[in-house]
C-alpha cells in the first residue's frame, strides 16, 4: 500500500500584515523587499511570519512542515543573494512570469557563509516536533539563476554552487525530508555534458544530508536525456509536475523507470482554483495506473512554489492536500 505524504515545495505567500509591516520597516515598495542584513525589528517580523506559516501547516494537517521561506524575497536565488561574495544587481524576471528577483553576481569563492538557511531551519525546529522538511534550490537551478564573474567556467561554477549548498546542508538541524527545487532542468535544459554534471551536482548536495531527498522538477517535463541522467542521481525521489505536463512525465517514467518513491505535483501552485481532495487522489491513482507501479511513498505536493497565491487560497490548498492523504488512510 502506497504511503501518501502531504507536503509542499515551500516558498509561501507572506501574510498580508507582513507585507505592509516589512515594507514600512525596510523603506521599500511591497514588491521590492530586500533580503540580507536585517534590523532587529525586521528579524522579529520574520520570526512572527515563520511561526504563523508553521501554525498554518499544522492546522491544515500536512505530514511535512517547511519553514515557509518568508525571507526569500529573491525566491530560489535567496541563498546566493545573501552570500558575502555575491553582489545583487538589477531586477531580473523569475523564469517566464511576472515575479522578479535581484540578479546574484558571484564575485568570489562560494565557501561556507554562515548557514543562512540553516539558521531559519533551527528557528523552525523549535516549533515542529516531527516531520520538518528543508527546502533548497537545486544546484543546477541556483547556478542558472546566477551570474558568474569569478570561476570563469560553467562546470567549475556548478560544482562550486553544489559544494556551497552541501556546506549549508551540513549545518541543518535534523530534518526528515529535503526538497531540492530544480525548475531550470525543465526551463533551461542542460546540454552537451551539462546534464551529467547537473546529476553529479545534485549528488553532492544529497549526500550531505541524512534525510529523504526529493529532486522536484516543474513547469513541464524533463527532456529524455536529462531525465535519464537525473535517474542516476543518489536521491530518494524525483518530482513530476502533473499540472503542466502529465503525459510527458508519465512517458519518462514508462520509458526509463523512476525511484521507489515519487513526488507528484497534483495541486496547481499558480491557479486559485482549489482542488477537491478526491481530485488529488484521482491524479495520484492515475499516475500509478499509467506507470503500472505501486510506489512506497508518494509525496503529494503543489507543482510549484506557492508564493503566487492569495493567502486564503494558499491555506485552502494546504488543507486539500492533507485531506487527500487522509482519504488514503480511510480506504486502507
Amino acid at each position: 500500500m502506497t504511503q501518501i505524504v502531504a507536503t509542499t515545495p515551500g516558498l509561501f505567500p507572506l501574510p498580508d500584515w507582513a507585507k505592509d509591516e516589512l515594507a514600512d520597516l525596510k523603506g521599500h515598495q511591497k514588491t521590492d523587499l530586500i533580503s540580507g542584513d536585517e534590523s532587529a525589528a525586521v528579524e522579529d517580523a520574520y520570526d512572527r511570519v515563520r511561526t504563523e506559516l508553521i501554525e498554518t501547516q499544522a492546522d491544515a494537517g500536512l505530514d511535512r512542515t517547511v519553514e515557509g521561506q518568508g525571507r526569500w524575497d529573491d525566491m530560489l536565488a535567496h541563498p546566493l543573494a545573501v552570500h558575502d561574495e555575491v553582489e545583487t544587481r538589477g531586477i531580473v524576471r523569475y523564469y517566464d512570469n511576472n515575479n522578479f528577483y535581484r540578479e546574484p553576481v558571484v564575485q568570489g569563492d562560494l565557501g561556507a557563509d554562515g548557514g543562512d538557511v540553516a539558521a531559519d531551519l533551527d528557528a523552525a525546529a523549535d516549533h515542529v516536533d516531527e516531520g520538518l522538511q528543508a527546502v533548497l534550490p537545486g544546484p543546477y537551478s541556483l547556478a542558472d539563476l546566477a551570474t558568474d564573474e569569478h570561476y570563469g567556467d560553467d562546470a567549475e561554477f556548478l560544482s562550486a554552487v553544489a559544494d556551497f549548498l552541501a556546506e549549508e546542508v551540513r549545518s541543518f538541524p535534523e530534518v526528515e525530508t529535503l526538497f531540492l527545487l530544480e525548475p531550470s532542468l525543465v526551463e533551461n535544459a542542460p546540454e552537451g555534458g551539462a546534464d551529467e554534471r547537473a546529476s553529479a551536482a545534485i549528488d553532492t548536495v544529497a549526500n550531505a544530508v541524512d534525510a529523504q531527498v526529493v529532486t522536484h522538477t516543474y513547469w513541464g517535463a524533463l527532456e529524455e536525456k536529462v531525465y535519464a541522467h537525473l535517474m542516476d542521481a543518489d536521491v530518494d525521489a524525483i518530482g513530476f509536475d502533473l499540472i503542466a505536463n502529465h503525459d510527458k512525465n508519465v512517458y519518462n517514467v514508462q520509458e526509463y523507470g523512476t525511484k521507489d518513491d515519487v513526488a507528484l505535483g497534483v495541486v496547481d501552485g499558480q491557479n486559485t482554483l482549489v482542488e477537491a481532495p478526491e481530485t488529488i487522489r484521482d491524479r495520484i491513482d492515475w499516475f500509478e495506473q499509467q506507470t503500472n507501479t505501486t510506489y512506497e511513498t508518494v509525496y503529494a505536493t503543489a507543482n510549484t512554489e506557492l508564493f503566487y497565491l492569495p493567502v486564503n487560497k494558499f491555506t485552502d490548498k494546504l488543507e486539500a492536500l492533507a485531506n487527500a492523504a487522509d482519504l488514503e488512510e480511510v480506504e486502507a
Side-chain angles (χ1 to χ4, degrees):
M1 178 67 68
T2 299
Q3 177 190 19
I4 298 179
V5 174
T7 188
T8 72
L11 281 93
F12 293 163
L14 285 173
D16 291 335
W17 66 263
K19 296 176 186 176
D20 296 333
E21 183 171 330
L22 286 164
D24 290 341
L25 287 170
K26 294 182 177 183
H28 292 272
Q29 296 300 314
K30 297 177 188 177
T31 55
D32 188 25
L33 303 179
I34 302 301
S35 307
D37 296 332
E38 295 157 353
S39 68
V42 169
E43 288 183 0
D44 175 71
Y46 279 130
D47 285 344
R48 286 182 279 127
V49 167
R50 181 185 304 109
T51 300
E52 182 171 326
L53 294 178
I54 290 172
E55 289 174 349
T56 297
Q57 293 170 86
D59 291 343
L62 291 180
D63 298 304
R64 298 287 185 273
T65 302
V66 301
E67 185 267 334
Q69 294 72 51
R71 292 179 55 241
W72 291 27
D73 304 326
D74 297 295
M75 292 163 285
L76 290 187
H78 171 84
L80 282 184
V82 296
H83 195 287
D84 287 343
E85 297 297 334
V86 174
E87 178 186 352
T88 50
R89 293 183 184 167
I91 301 298
V92 181
R93 187 179 295 274
Y94 184 64
Y95 296 102
D96 189 20
N97 59 44
N98 290 323
N99 293 277
F100 301 87
Y101 68 102
R102 297 172 302 154
E103 178 188 17
V105 181
V106 177
Q107 298 182 318
D109 286 342
L110 292 176
D113 193 51
D116 181 87
V117 179
D120 286 341
L121 275 172
D122 280 331
D126 292 338
H127 303 278
V128 180
D129 293 329
E130 59 182 4
L132 182 62
Q133 175 177 302
V135 173
L136 277 177
Y140 180 78
S141 294
L142 187 55
D144 180 48
L145 293 170
T147 297
D148 171 34
E149 289 188 353
H150 176 69
Y151 293 94
D153 176 82
D154 288 346
E156 185 179 353
F157 182 52
L158 177 59
S159 178
V161 170
D163 288 340
F164 158 66
L165 289 173
E167 284 301 313
E168 183 77 38
V169 164
R170 292 186 185 101
S171 299
F172 283 1
E174 183 177 350
V175 298
E176 194 158 342
T177 314
L178 167 62
F179 261 50
L180 293 176
L181 307 186
E182 282 283 18
S184 286
L185 287 177
V186 174
E187 288 286 301
N188 186 21
E191 300 175 344
D195 44 8
E196 189 171 359
R197 292 194 294 272
S199 177
I202 290 169
D203 269 349
T204 297
V205 183
N207 290 330
V209 65
D210 183 16
Q212 298 295 297
V213 179
V214 179
T215 298
H216 188 45
T217 65
Y218 48 100
W219 287 325
L222 297 172
E223 295 180 4
E224 290 182 52
K225 188 177 178 183
V226 176
Y227 181 76
H229 280 299
L230 183 56
M231 274 294 293
D232 293 333
D234 189 17
V235 298
D236 299 283
I238 294 173
F240 302 96
D241 183 347
L242 300 190
I243 303 298
N245 194 333
H246 55 275
D247 287 334
K248 178 63 186 303
N249 277 309
V250 162
Y251 169 80
N252 281 341
V253 176
Q254 290 172 334
E255 191 73 14
Y256 301 100
T258 194
K259 308 290 185 176
D260 292 336
D261 302 338
V262 294
L264 299 180
V266 287
V267 163
D268 195 331
Q270 297 179 278
N271 189 304
T272 57
L273 179 66
V274 178
E275 297 83 354
E278 293 80 7
T279 299
I280 295 170
R281 278 299 312 281
D282 286 346
R283 290 170 178 172
I284 295 170
D285 293 343
W286 176 85
F287 184 85
E288 289 197 322
Q289 291 163 7
Q290 293 297 310
T291 58
N292 196 30
T293 304
T294 299
Y295 299 95
E296 292 183 9
T297 301
V298 169
Y299 295 93
T301 183
N303 63 327
T304 69
E305 313 101 327
L306 291 158
F307 60 81
Y308 309 96
L309 295 173
V311 171
N312 63 329
K313 298 297 184 179
F314 152 73
T315 302
D316 290 344
K317 286 182 182 258
L318 297 191
E319 292 176 353
L321 282 166
N323 289 336
D326 286 343
L327 284 177
E328 193 276 338
E329 292 174 5
V330 169
E331 294 176 1

